[in-house]
Amino acid sequence: MLKQRRMLLFMGVLLFFLFISKNVFAAPMVPNVNIGVGTSDNPQDVVVTLQIMAVLTILSIAPSILVMTTSFVRIVVVIGFLRNALSTQNVPPNQVVIALSLFLSFYIMSPYWSQANDNGLQPYLAGQITQEEALHNVVEPVRAFMFKQTRESDLALFVNLSQAERPESQDDVSTFTLIPAYLISELKTAFQIGFMIYIPFIVIDMIVASTLMSMGMMMLPPVMISLPFKVLLFVMVDGWHLLIKSLIVSFK
């Protein structure tokens, strides 16, 4: 009898909560968002829509633009060479390498971005110049930076491959031609710096390997012994200070 009462009480409480939930929570808790494509008789609406799509497209490829037109490529490749030369595998981790490269790129590019903001973005927001003039004023400082770091042979390569007319000045060179030339120039410079980084660490590896062979310890991996000496050398000469200073000065 007691068990039946408990069962009836449980069913009554369950029905009560079901009734309450049906009435109290009948209203939708999540807002309804509808996205649709309609018609418009105003051409300005079409222009605004296209501008929004262009902005979204630029935002989606912003990381690639940051990599292709800044100092990021040289910095991240050089730090990768350093990590391989030290034989530390994943030390520092990839997240640290990317973060350090990004912030160093922000530091190096800040004068050019400030110039682009002062001459292009802010006058456009104030309504002083047109959109085309703003775009030209924003791109021009970045182009000046890339021209400064690009070798003439690399630039001539892509100008010839594009079958364009011989440019009379830098203004005649297309940005789409300048960017790949800038990238291969940065890679070449990064590999040159990486070669110079490798030399002292290779000397340590050769000395350790020769010492182990002379002692008959051929089964002992030389990397295991040379790694502490390479890290010690790098710390004693204040390697991070020298490396970062050299990278920043190389863009001046």
Side-chain angles (χ1 to χ4, degrees):
M1 190 69 177
L2 181 60
K3 184 176 181 180
Q4 293 178 353
R5 289 181 179 178
R6 290 180 177 177
M7 183 63 68
L8 291 174
L9 179 61
F10 173 77
M11 293 180 65
V13 172
L14 181 60
L15 290 174
F16 173 77
F17 278 108
L18 288 175
F19 177 78
I20 292 297
S21 63
K22 182 178 180 181
N23 292 273
V24 175
F25 301 104
M29 301 300 294
V30 180
N32 187 16
V33 179
N34 295 322
I35 299 176
V37 178
T39 60
S40 176
D41 297 331
N42 187 6
Q44 187 65 27
D45 295 337
V46 180
V47 174
V48 173
T49 303
L50 294 177
Q51 290 177 345
I52 294 175
M53 294 178 61
V55 170
L56 293 176
T57 303
I58 293 175
L59 290 177
S60 64
I61 63 175
S64 300
I65 296 176
L66 180 64
V67 169
M68 292 186 296
T69 61
T70 64
S71 57
F72 180 84
V73 173
R74 184 187 304 185
I75 296 173
V76 73
V77 171
V78 168
I79 296 178
F81 271 116
L82 172 65
R83 190 169 63 177
N84 292 333
L86 287 171
S87 303
T88 54
Q89 297 181 355
N90 292 327
V91 179
N94 291 331
Q95 293 85 349
V96 176
V97 173
I98 297 299
L100 178 60
S101 302
L102 281 175
F103 281 104
L104 287 176
S105 299
F106 294 156
Y107 177 80
I108 294 171
M109 298 299 299
S110 59
Y112 301 94
W113 288 344
S114 297
Q115 184 179 353
N117 180 66
D118 296 338
N119 298 336
L121 182 59
Q122 295 302 324
Y124 174 71
L125 294 177
Q128 299 174 357
I129 58 177
T130 63
Q131 184 175 359
E132 291 76 11
E133 293 175 340
L135 182 61
H136 177 269
N137 293 341
V138 167
V139 173
E140 194 60 30
V142 180
R143 282 171 52 90
F145 169 78
M146 290 191 290
F147 272 117
K148 187 185 298 183
Q149 308 301 327
T150 304
R151 294 177 174 82
E152 293 184 2
S153 58
D154 296 330
L155 185 59
L157 170 65
F158 287 95
V159 170
N160 294 331
L161 291 176
S162 64
Q163 297 181 352
E165 297 182 359
R166 182 181 179 87
E168 299 295 335
S169 63
Q170 294 182 354
D171 295 334
D172 298 333
V173 179
S174 171
T175 303
F176 296 102
T177 303
L178 175 61
I179 291 178
Y182 166 76
L183 285 176
I184 64 173
S185 294
E186 285 294 282
L187 288 174
K188 182 177 181 179
T189 303
F191 274 64
Q192 290 175 344
I193 298 175
F195 172 77
M196 300 302 296
I197 291 175
Y198 256 96
I199 291 178
F201 299 117
I202 288 178
V203 172
I204 294 177
D205 287 333
M206 293 176 62
I207 294 174
V208 171
S210 301
T211 304
L212 291 178
M213 290 184 63
S214 63
M215 296 175 63
M217 299 181 180
M218 292 179 292
M219 300 300 295
L220 184 63
V223 177
M224 184 180 299
I225 305 300
S226 63
L227 177 59
F229 291 100
K230 291 192 287 187
V231 173
L232 179 62
L233 173 65
F234 189 72
V235 172
M236 289 181 60
V237 300
D238 199 1
W240 285 113
H241 176 85
L242 293 176
L243 178 65
I244 300 304
K245 179 181 178 181
S246 300
L247 282 173
I248 295 177
V249 171
S250 66
F251 288 100
K252 300 298 183 180

